[in-house]
Amino acid sequence: MPRRSIAEVKVLDVQKRRIPNKHYVYIIKVTWSNGSTEVIYRRYSKFFDLQMQMLDKFPMEGGQKDPKQRIIPFLPGKILFRRSHIRDVAVKRLIPIDEYCKALIQLPPYISQCEEVLQFFETRPDDLTPPKE
């Protein structure tokens, strides 16, 4: 059976979490090639980790040798902020992160369907039972 691929990704919103500490997650609706849809929750730091994996695995596509060759999308950068601005930062990143996800799954299949991308968007146990506030 061929492995399913990602058909569509939409970042719906941000949600505040308090477990294990106060942070925000992005609520993401993932539509798979088999027609199934799932909602997953990812912190910004997980997007950053994925981006680092992609740039390491695909240095040419990441523009390391020639910036004009870059096809891997840019992720909105890490921001240092005061505690009161965390929600503002999370909300401001919502559209750029949505655009990042959409651009990522539009890349050639050897990137958009690589193990790291598929694993990132796979449902995890904590996606099925998000912590109650």
Side-chain angles (χ1 to χ4, degrees):
M1 185 170 110
R3 187 158 181 195
R4 66 185 185 167
S5 60
I6 302 162
E8 185 182 6
V9 175
K10 174 117 184 84
V11 181
L12 303 174
D13 205 354
V14 294
Q15 182 180 80
K16 187 179 205 172
R17 296 271 175 93
R18 290 187 170 86
I19 302 166
N21 52 18
K22 207 186 301 185
H23 64 281
Y24 284 86
V25 292
Y26 292 90
I27 305 169
I28 306 158
K29 181 178 163 192
V30 181
T31 305
W32 294 91
S33 56
N34 65 3
S36 66
T37 61
E38 294 156 356
V39 173
I40 63 171
Y41 304 86
R42 297 289 178 270
R43 292 176 82 145
Y44 172 81
S45 61
K46 298 300 176 199
F47 283 99
F48 189 82
D49 294 346
L50 173 65
Q51 180 75 341
M52 295 300 102
Q53 289 176 327
M54 301 303 292
L55 295 174
D56 284 347
K57 185 170 185 168
F58 304 108
M60 293 291 287
E61 295 83 347
Q64 287 180 17
K65 296 205 175 16
D66 179 1
K68 292 184 188 78
Q69 299 286 313
R70 182 175 181 137
I71 60 171
I72 292 176
F74 287 93
L75 182 68
K78 283 193 167 186
I79 300 169
L80 298 172
F81 43 79
R82 297 190 304 275
R83 298 297 295 157
S84 62
H85 292 87
I86 296 173
R87 178 166 175 80
D88 293 345
V89 170
V91 169
K92 277 187 190 134
R93 283 184 180 153
L94 192 111
I95 290 171
I97 287 193
D98 184 54
E99 290 168 351
Y100 172 81
C101 291
K102 286 175 171 36
L104 194 61
I105 66 164
Q106 295 300 315
L107 291 173
Y110 73 96
I111 299 176
S112 63
Q113 295 175 33
C114 75
E115 194 62 32
E116 292 83 351
V117 171
L118 294 176
Q119 278 184 0
F120 181 82
F121 289 107
E122 280 285 345
T123 307
R124 298 177 186 161
D126 54 343
D127 293 325
L128 299 173
T129 54
K132 302 279 185 275
E133 287 299 311

